[in-house]
Amino acid sequence: MLDLEMQNKMTLYSDPKLRVYQLQGNQDKKTVMMRTLLGENATDQQIDDWFETYDNYQLTVTNYKYLPRVISVNYGEEEDVYSVLEYEEGSSLTQHGQLGKEHVEQLVDALDHLHRKGVVHGSVTPDNIWVTQKDRIVLYGAGEWKALGRPVQTFMQDINSLIAVLLDYAVVSDSAARALNQKKITSLGQVSDIFLNGGDVKTKGSLVEKSTKGSLVEKEAEQEFLYEKRGKPSNSRQEQGYREETQRETPRNSVPRQEPRAEQRTLPKQQNVYDIHGMQHATYIGFWRRFFAYFIDGLILGIPASILFGDGGNTVVFLLGWIYFGAMESSGMQATLGKRMLGMKVVDKRGYRLSFGHAVGRHFAKILSYITLLIGFLIVGFDQKKRALHDHVAGTLVISNK
């Protein structure tokens, strides 16, 4: 369980939309990395993209040797959204200053794993490459480019970014540097081959003009090269990585090297990121309980308004009701008094508390449920998650508060 009361907060990196911190728990003294999308500079869509990115990352990528494990994803202050990730003592490549041969192998390995999982990293920069005190690479920031509002990224752009990093930070021979700058490179295998062989690309297994880019011949050639490099994959390669059943042929004129093992780390089973607020096991509230809660709220608003304003009470309730519903459903209770009495609360689709504006928007979306001859309310009885029409429009759920 993450200790959410943190201390020793230190900024590692900052730009207009992203801020990266190192933090330590007050109680468990565990150090973590927090990557924060700054809400004041992000759109609602970008915030949604952040959650989607880390949900996909956690389901398909995490627990790989050179990629960090996701601990949690949540909202912070001022509509910020942050991801808490595993941290190991070290420094960014910007501070570390240099990549060794083993670092390059690990970096290529991390990107190769992302690409095999269909994930474009999108920001292979020195600030996202972490060099630990144990001299191991950890690659942060995978997939964040979309949430940060950057142009559409591709696998080739990842490769080009990697080349730029190698030229700036790795010890590269003159011949390798010329090859990296001049050759038409279309795979991570080529990058690794050029770097290790001093500019001489292998003819067997590499992608040297065997066909046009993207053809089946090229893909088969790339797979052949990777098999030669790491050994044939087992049937469960997505979970276990590649077994080194076959030794890689030592390239001519190069020093034999030990291949990095791609085995998975043994880590505890993770929660889905939406489990932070128990949404995996949420109890959705049906039509009749919601009806009676709305009836109670009507009495709470209507009786005082009728006493104070007589026949104009209904008009007052109509005009000022949005304040009541907006304030109560965005409060710590996350519920109006009627909902609170009947044990329910309103959340967004991820299980988080609504902002005041979101709650007000939900209230006015009820107009759609009324003008459909109340059908918008009745569909609660048929919807899998017990949502009314205005819940669909506003992206909200009504769940049990227990």
Side-chain angles (χ1 to χ4, degrees):
M1 184 75 179
L2 178 66
D3 176 9
L4 293 177
E5 296 296 326
M6 309 299 287
Q7 63 180 4
N8 298 334
K9 187 175 184 180
M10 182 174 71
T11 302
L12 300 175
Y13 171 78
S14 181
D15 68 25
K17 284 191 176 179
L18 177 68
R19 194 163 295 154
V20 181
Y21 302 101
Q22 172 192 320
L23 306 102
Q24 187 179 72
N26 280 329
Q27 297 177 10
D28 59 16
K29 303 301 180 184
K30 180 178 181 179
T31 302
V32 297
M33 180 178 286
M34 178 184 287
R35 301 180 67 86
T36 304
L37 177 67
L38 302 178
E40 62 182 1
N41 297 328
T43 65
D44 289 343
Q45 182 59 54
Q46 288 169 344
I47 290 173
D48 286 343
D49 288 339
W50 184 275
F51 278 97
E52 182 180 347
T53 292
Y54 274 99
D55 191 25
N56 179 60
Y57 179 99
Q58 186 160 316
L59 291 173
T60 62
V61 175
T62 197
N63 285 10
Y64 195 70
K65 191 171 184 180
Y66 306 122
L67 296 164
R69 185 173 69 92
V70 179
I71 299 173
S72 68
V73 183
N74 209 336
Y75 278 110
E77 300 175 353
E78 300 178 357
E79 296 302 310
D80 294 344
V81 59
Y82 63 83
S83 299
V84 178
L85 304 158
E86 267 189 337
Y87 174 86
E88 192 173 326
E89 288 296 331
S91 60
S92 69
L93 178 57
T94 304
Q95 297 171 315
H96 187 78
Q98 185 171 316
L99 286 173
K101 176 183 172 183
E102 293 298 322
H103 297 149
V104 174
E105 293 174 352
Q106 294 167 13
L107 190 53
V108 170
D109 205 38
L111 270 180
D112 179 53
H113 183 73
L114 287 172
H115 289 185
R116 286 174 178 274
K117 296 293 186 178
V119 176
V120 176
H121 187 283
S123 187
V124 184
T125 64
D127 289 313
N128 285 331
I129 299 169
W130 194 256
V131 184
T132 72
Q133 290 182 353
K134 296 181 179 179
D135 221 26
R136 186 173 69 91
I137 289 292
V138 181
L139 182 59
Y140 287 94
E144 290 177 353
W145 59 271
K146 188 175 182 181
L148 296 173
R150 293 171 182 164
V152 174
Q153 301 293 300
T154 65
F155 295 134
M156 275 307 305
Q157 285 170 305
D158 275 355
I159 293 172
N160 291 334
S161 296
L162 173 63
I163 292 171
V165 168
L166 296 186
L167 291 173
D168 286 341
Y169 289 91
V171 179
V172 183
S173 67
D174 290 341
S175 58
R178 285 193 298 272
L180 289 172
N181 275 312
Q182 297 171 7
K183 290 183 181 295
K184 184 179 179 181
I185 297 173
T186 57
S187 76
L188 290 168
Q190 280 182 290
V191 175
S192 178
D193 215 22
I194 290 171
F195 180 79
L196 294 170
N197 296 329
D200 298 323
V201 182
K202 292 174 59 179
T203 56
K204 181 181 179 181
S206 62
L207 304 179
V208 185
E209 304 300 330
K210 282 195 173 184
S211 61
T212 57
K213 181 182 174 184
S215 70
L216 289 175
V217 175
E218 182 187 35
K219 292 175 183 176
E220 289 172 359
E222 181 179 13
Q223 192 169 34
E224 178 189 350
F225 170 74
L226 290 168
Y227 284 179
E228 180 190 30
K229 178 181 176 184
R230 291 179 177 153
K232 290 282 184 180
S234 66
N235 290 334
S236 57
R237 70 183 187 187
Q238 288 186 345
E239 297 300 325
Q240 299 175 5
Y242 288 100
R243 295 179 182 175
E244 296 185 35
E245 296 173 358
T246 306
Q247 293 294 326
R248 183 180 185 271
E249 176 185 286
T250 303
R252 190 176 300 174
N253 300 325
S254 68
V255 179
R257 65 189 178 99
Q258 183 178 358
E259 289 295 322
R261 295 186 64 84
E263 66 266 16
Q264 304 287 97
R265 293 174 291 167
T266 303
L267 292 171
K269 185 178 179 181
Q270 288 180 240
Q271 292 179 309
N272 183 283
V273 289
Y274 300 161
D275 261 357
I276 298 167
H277 290 288
M279 291 304 294
Q280 290 274 334
H281 309 288
T283 300
Y284 304 106
I285 305 301
F287 176 81
W288 287 110
R289 277 180 68 183
R290 292 179 61 167
F291 171 81
F292 284 117
Y294 196 60
F295 180 75
I296 293 170
D297 287 325
L299 294 178
I300 291 171
L301 291 174
I303 292 175
S306 297
I307 294 173
L308 294 174
F309 300 100
D311 293 340
N314 289 335
T315 303
V316 172
V317 170
F318 177 78
L319 293 175
L320 300 181
W322 65 273
I323 299 177
Y324 170 77
F325 283 94
M328 296 300 294
E329 291 178 354
S330 63
S331 70
M333 291 195 303
Q334 299 177 252
T336 59
L337 295 176
K339 289 185 176 70
R340 179 74 172 176
M341 290 171 64
L342 295 182
M344 64 186 85
K345 64 181 179 181
V346 182
V347 297
D348 72 4
K349 59 187 177 183
R350 303 183 200 91
Y352 299 109
R353 193 170 97 184
L354 306 186
S355 66
F356 178 73
H358 195 172
V360 170
R362 178 181 184 271
H363 173 71
F364 282 114
K366 292 175 185 175
I367 294 172
L368 298 175
S369 295
Y370 279 109
I371 65 176
T372 53
L373 303 178
L374 303 183
I375 292 175
F377 291 104
L378 295 175
I379 64 173
V380 170
F382 305 96
D383 186 82
Q384 184 179 9
K385 294 183 178 179
K386 310 298 182 185
R387 291 168 293 184
L389 177 58
H390 54 274
D391 289 314
H392 282 278
V393 172
T396 56
L397 299 163
V398 181
I399 63 174
S400 172
N401 63 6
K402 297 178 181 179

